[in-house]
Amino acid sequence: MSIMSSLERRFCSSPPWNVIARRLVLPWALQRAALDGRVLEVGAGSGAMAAGLLASHPIAHLTVTDLDPKMVRRAADRLRPFGARADAHVADGTALPFHDDVFDAATSFLMLHHVGRWEAALTELVRVVRPGGRVFVYDLLESRLWRFAHGISRS
């Protein structure tokens, strides 16, 4: 089963997106926060953000999830150079397959606007983070431009 449209999949796996993710979105979303310990990224797509996060946070262990099995395979391939510091899983962000309080931080970058039950996804992010941990979410605001772009890509 494929979740992303082929257009979205190509864009999210492209070199331009890799640059945008690492140089613009990730630094903006994290606001220089130091991440270490166990970190979860929900809706990781091809792993562009995850690779940037691992490169800039050398003691973090990152678990990435996505609903689209093809994107999880791409993320796993992209994260292979990080060895045991990264693992990738198919998972629904509204029903994460992890116990409560197991991550030091959880992230979601530009994914929640694709989720019909985004409140449930936020609840899950909070549930899996230990007390005192941190949740980082970065997404788009509603606009005609984004409705048009998502209409074209059928997302």
Side-chain angles (χ1 to χ4, degrees):
M1 176 163 96
S2 177
I3 305 305
M4 285 186 155
S5 71
S6 59
L7 177 63
E8 284 178 308
R9 199 176 298 113
R10 280 193 301 272
F11 175 72
C12 290
S13 300
S14 70
W17 175 245
N18 189 43
V19 171
I20 291 167
R22 285 185 180 206
R23 293 189 183 167
L24 297 176
V25 178
L26 190 61
W28 179 264
L30 294 179
Q31 296 289 306
R32 295 184 204 88
L35 297 179
D36 55 15
R38 293 190 67 198
V39 180
L40 172 68
E41 182 183 352
V42 175
S46 68
M49 301 285 196
L53 192 149
L54 287 166
S56 61
H57 296 86
I59 60 174
H61 176 276
L62 185 61
T63 298
V64 300
T65 67
D66 200 280
L67 192 57
D68 188 328
K70 290 182 181 181
M71 296 309 281
V72 171
R73 284 191 296 277
R74 288 183 184 178
D77 289 344
R78 179 175 287 191
L79 300 177
R80 193 163 285 117
F82 296 98
R85 291 183 52 217
D87 56 285
H89 306 274
V90 174
D92 180 344
T94 65
L96 294 170
F98 306 110
H99 294 290
D100 296 357
D101 307 331
V102 295
F103 293 97
D104 298 297
T107 66
S108 174
F109 305 113
L110 297 168
M111 183 278 295
L112 286 176
H113 65 277
H114 292 284
V115 179
R117 295 179 45 235
W118 61 267
E119 297 95 337
L122 285 175
T123 299
E124 283 294 277
L125 285 170
V126 171
R127 178 186 66 78
V128 300
V129 173
R130 66 169 173 75
R134 299 170 82 181
V135 175
F136 297 87
V137 177
Y138 178 81
D139 214 309
L140 305 170
L141 296 175
E142 170 70 18
S143 72
R144 280 188 233 172
L145 173 64
W146 293 119
R147 278 195 310 273
F148 176 74
H150 286 110
I152 289 173
S153 66
R154 298 179 189 193
S155 62

